[in-house]
Amino acid sequence: MAHHASTVASYGSWISPITAADVAASGHMVEGGFFAADAVWWSEQRPTEGGRSAIRRIGPDGEPGDVLPAPWNARTRVHEYGGGAWAVTADGVLVFAEFSDQRLYRFDPSIDAAPVPITPIPPTPSADRYGDLTIVGDEVWCVRESYRDGPPKRDICAIPLDGRAEDNPATQRSIVAGSDFLAYPRLSPDGERLAWIAWKHPQMPWDGTELRVLTLASGKVDVLLGGPEESVLQPEWVDASTLNVISDRTGWWNLYRVAANGDAVEPICPIDADFGAPLWQLGARWYTVLDDGHLLTARTVGTDTLGLVVPATGALRDVELEGISSVQICDVDGRRVLLRCGGAQVAPGLRVLDLDTGALTDVRLSVDALPGTSYLPEARSLTFQGPEREVHTVVYPPHNPDYHAPDGELPPYVAFVHGGPTSHVAPALQPAYAYFTSRGIGVVDVNYGGSSGYGREYRNRLRGQWGVVDVEDTVAAVRGLADAGLADPDRLAIEGGSAGGWTVLSALTTSDVFACGVSYYGVAELVEFVKETHDFESRYVDGLIGPLPEAADLYTRRAPVNNVDGLSCPVLLLQGLSDPIVPPSQAEQFRDALVRKQIPHAYLAYAGESHGFRKAETIASAREAELSFYGQVLGFETPGVPRLELWRP
């Protein structure tokens, strides 16, 4: 058997067929999905079209096509993270929130030349926003966010589909308000009650929410479940008097059956696993009810598992999906289920699962051109023991069939720190990781304390400890790799975005384990941040650090921008200039501190980019800058990418 000849070259300098342009252009994240009007519908991000969210469908003929013509962009800014931006009626009419003006539009692809607005023009642009859309008869019911004077107000409202509210705002009905935040409007099968989830500042939806039910005829509201220390999610009606719901009252998000009069709360399938996750985007689902009354569920302990639950007995049977480590349930049609799923060697995307045969059929993948599997890294789930506690990680060692490193050389590693900070990473096919591993740079993805997917206690480790526990756990992971002889202890880097960017800057200013770091739109200080950021997260730091004014001293002490004296290594800062969540002032303050301390760095600011880069050219530019930066600091050539100019004293 002939062996593939491979070239000896230092880690980091290997030549890879995976370019940054490939990583950017091949990715078009597939988001929600529905079965409607004999077709599968979905939304996907188009980096090559300025990051717009296109709505597409594939009918019985098997040919996918765009429903919503460019430049229409179906994306809502409710909570700034959106969710539930579109819905489809039974006869195939699309209702969606248009990103540019945040109004709702109706579009019948078989008749209309262009979408028709169904909500009024607000007094100031984008002052009214709509998310979590559900079609109820001849109305769309949704969460509405209104910016007038003072903080935004939110309610659940009903908007006529026929468009008469465009000129007559009084035809919109406000159904219920009375809390800072609302989600999951769900009308009972007899049309007499509305269930939803509510919460107030300073809670985040993973801290504490309430399940509320409104009797429409009387206006009476009952709180059935939840509180400041119990997170309730995804109510769904079983019948006119009973609901299924998710709650983490045991320390894990589990399934419960609840009587609508509040008399009984029964666990359905008690187990140490999370049938739920942090509600960053409206409309997320972790279970669906099948025609036979059984529940199809997605649960997590580290990785995701699809399972069938029999509510009467609590029996749980796993549904085997080869190579799949992440699963989200989108919709169900009889025995066909629409899933977003993927794994370490399985591209993420939208697939249809036939529950009877177990067959999984691709509808639309989130990446077009995949690098040959021989260039993909293997993913290893490793747990490292830190000084205080265990830390869960996913490790992607360097791999390229065309190269191997000189004997005795250890690879550089980049710790990827996810945002949130409540997010969760599982083994995944990430072209961005393959971009580095195929060049001889290892990647370790860290589920530091505060991450979801391991129960409430693991999530609560970050309470009051943001900038401490996340840093300690990331340091423990890379030290563990170096101690195990898998990584070069002198060539460890760290990168992260948003809350992950805060962890990057905190780690660089309070530890000496990293040779350099890259912050994508990271939080650098807190006093201005909590003043400038948007309403949904404006009290988030109360739980992560402490409430103001009591914790003002901690806000100052923890902020990386105030700890630059502890920094001695180069930093790359990447920022979108239209970011409403982490404004550019954060990166600029840190850059100014780097200049004062005379530390080599680069700051790249991208016009027209918000929180999370969406344009292909930005994504490619940022990755190439990152690679050039690592090469210059960690000491290897980076052939084929433009050299990033570093500011040097």
Side-chain angles (χ1 to χ4, degrees):
M1 184 175 156
H3 275 288
H4 185 84
S6 78
T7 305
V8 179
S10 282
Y11 286 117
S13 66
W14 301 351
I15 293 170
S16 166
I18 304 167
T19 68
D22 294 338
V23 171
S26 74
H28 39 75
M29 192 165 79
V30 174
E31 294 168 318
F34 291 105
F35 290 112
D38 291 333
V40 176
W41 301 60
W42 71 93
S43 130
E44 68 182 55
Q45 269 185 38
R46 292 271 177 82
T48 52
E49 295 177 25
R52 87 174 176 107
S53 289
I55 305 293
R56 309 190 73 205
R57 67 179 171 189
I58 186 165
D61 62 356
E63 278 305 308
D66 280 16
V67 177
L68 198 58
W72 295 91
N73 185 357
R75 185 176 157 213
T76 171
R77 288 183 59 188
V78 173
H79 299 174
E80 293 297 355
Y81 293 101
W86 58 285
V88 185
T89 66
D91 51 358
V93 175
L94 174 68
V95 182
F96 70 98
E98 159 58 33
F99 185 65
S100 60
D101 64 5
Q102 288 299 299
R103 294 170 73 195
L104 286 185
Y105 289 77
R106 184 191 71 228
F107 181 57
D108 184 339
S110 63
I111 305 172
D112 295 338
V116 180
I118 62 169
T119 54
I121 297 175
T124 55
S126 300
D128 293 332
R129 305 167 183 188
Y130 310 86
D132 221 342
L133 274 53
T134 308
I135 308 291
V136 178
D138 56 4
E139 295 177 313
V140 57
W141 290 33
C142 57
V143 173
R144 174 173 59 183
E145 183 176 79
S146 295
Y147 291 77
R148 296 293 189 271
D149 301 319
K153 300 263 191 295
R154 296 178 186 87
D155 64 348
I156 291 169
C157 70
I159 294 158
L161 287 172
D162 63 12
R164 63 182 186 269
E166 193 208 352
D167 300 317
N168 184 2
T171 59
Q172 302 182 97
R173 297 186 296 129
S174 179
I175 300 164
V176 74
S179 62
D180 293 332
F181 302 97
L182 316 92
Y184 295 109
R186 296 288 188 265
L187 189 63
S188 61
D190 60 5
E192 293 185 5
R193 290 171 162 146
L194 175 73
W196 75 100
I197 300 292
W199 70 98
K200 290 187 170 179
H201 283 307
Q203 262 74 44
M204 297 303 282
W206 45 91
D207 296 325
T209 60
E210 293 179 346
L211 169 62
R212 297 183 181 181
V213 170
L214 164 73
T215 304
L216 290 163
S218 67
K220 179 170 179 281
V221 173
D222 295 298
V223 177
L224 304 191
L225 209 62
E229 289 291 323
E230 177 182 1
S231 170
V232 184
L233 297 167
Q234 198 193 338
E236 307 285 358
W237 291 94
V238 180
D239 52 41
S241 60
T242 324
L243 290 141
N244 291 324
V245 70
I246 297 166
S247 158
D248 73 347
R249 50 178 37 197
T250 63
W252 296 89
W253 271 307
N254 276 196
L255 296 155
Y256 292 84
R257 187 149 282 186
V258 184
N261 61 8
D263 281 355
V265 179
E266 311 260 333
I268 295 175
C269 175
I271 181 176
D272 286 358
D274 275 331
F275 294 84
L279 189 69
W280 282 101
Q281 289 188 303
L282 294 169
R285 296 168 76 173
W286 294 275
Y287 70 93
T288 188
V289 185
L290 303 176
D291 292 345
D292 59 10
H294 294 177
L295 304 179
L296 183 74
T297 63
R299 71 182 191 277
T300 308
V301 184
T303 56
D304 294 351
T305 307
L306 201 66
L308 284 163
V309 174
V310 183
T313 62
L316 171 64
R317 177 172 67 80
D318 289 348
V319 178
E320 292 301 327
L321 299 174
E322 187 67 35
I324 299 290
S325 50
S326 294
V327 185
Q328 285 170 305
I329 296 170
C330 297
D331 201 8
V332 64
D333 173 29
R335 301 292 288 170
R336 296 191 310 149
V337 186
L338 197 55
L339 302 173
R340 267 180 67 189
C341 56
Q345 304 269 329
V346 180
L350 200 62
R351 296 176 170 92
V352 173
L353 170 69
D354 183 318
L355 285 172
D356 293 324
T357 66
L360 201 58
T361 311
D362 293 353
V363 175
R364 174 69 165 155
L365 302 184
S366 290
V367 283
D368 281 333
L370 277 175
T373 46
S374 61
Y375 291 95
L376 295 176
E378 95 175 281
R380 302 177 189 166
S381 293
L382 297 180
T383 300
F384 294 102
Q385 193 59 47
E388 305 287 327
R389 59 203 158 257
E390 83 287 352
V391 183
H392 302 296
T393 72
V394 185
V395 176
Y396 300 86
H399 172 73
N400 182 324
D402 307 328
Y403 289 91
H404 63 275
D407 286 348
E409 186 182 328
L410 288 170
Y413 257 82
V414 182
F416 273 65
V417 185
H418 65 65
T422 57
S423 299
H424 172 80
V425 290
L429 195 163
Q430 294 267 22
Y433 294 178
Y435 178 74
F436 291 118
T437 56
S438 61
R439 286 172 167 77
I441 302 164
V443 167
V444 54
D445 231 339
V446 187
N447 279 317
Y448 50 87
S451 303
S452 53
Y454 304 96
R456 188 175 185 109
E457 189 190 336
Y458 199 87
R459 223 166 54 239
N460 282 353
R461 285 179 180 179
L462 209 54
R463 282 209 173 164
Q465 296 297 308
W466 195 35
V468 178
V469 161
D470 45 333
V471 170
E472 288 174 356
D473 287 3
T474 307
V475 166
V478 296
R479 283 216 166 111
L481 279 170
D483 291 346
L486 299 173
D488 182 341
D490 297 326
R491 294 196 293 170
L492 301 170
I494 180 171
E495 81 105 79
S498 189
W502 156 274
T503 305
V504 167
L505 300 177
S506 298
L508 296 178
T509 51
T510 62
S511 79
D512 56 6
V513 68
F514 296 104
C516 61
V518 178
S519 166
Y520 281 78
Y521 34 88
V523 179
E525 73 72 68
L526 292 173
V527 179
E528 290 304 312
F529 171 72
V530 294
K531 283 187 207 157
E532 291 181 345
T533 195
H534 60 130
D535 183 57
F536 176 65
E537 288 183 85
S538 61
R539 302 290 302 278
Y540 189 13
V541 180
D542 285 30
L544 291 171
I545 304 277
L548 287 174
E550 301 87 325
D553 182 44
L554 264 184
Y555 278 47
T556 308
R557 280 216 311 273
R558 291 261 181 95
V561 74
N562 299 326
N563 295 322
V564 174
D565 281 349
L567 178 71
S568 55
C569 68
V571 184
L572 169 59
L573 303 168
L574 303 145
Q575 176 71 39
L577 289 176
S578 303
D579 191 335
I581 294 170
V582 180
S585 58
Q586 292 280 313
E588 288 157 8
Q589 286 186 58
F590 202 82
R591 174 204 58 195
D592 295 345
L594 291 168
V595 171
R596 285 195 298 274
K597 181 88 194 297
Q598 302 275 291
I599 288 174
H601 65 274
Y603 172 51
L604 300 181
Y606 296 97
E609 286 288 4
S610 176
H611 198 68
F613 297 157
R614 285 174 166 252
K615 298 178 184 174
E617 57 274 22
T618 308
I619 296 165
S621 157
R623 282 294 170 221
E624 290 190 333
E626 197 179 335
L627 180 61
S628 172
F629 176 70
Y630 293 146
Q632 291 179 58
V633 178
L634 303 178
F636 49 81
E637 294 301 315
T638 52
V641 302
R643 184 178 173 84
L644 173 73
E645 285 306 316
L646 293 184
W647 179 93
R648 294 180 187 278

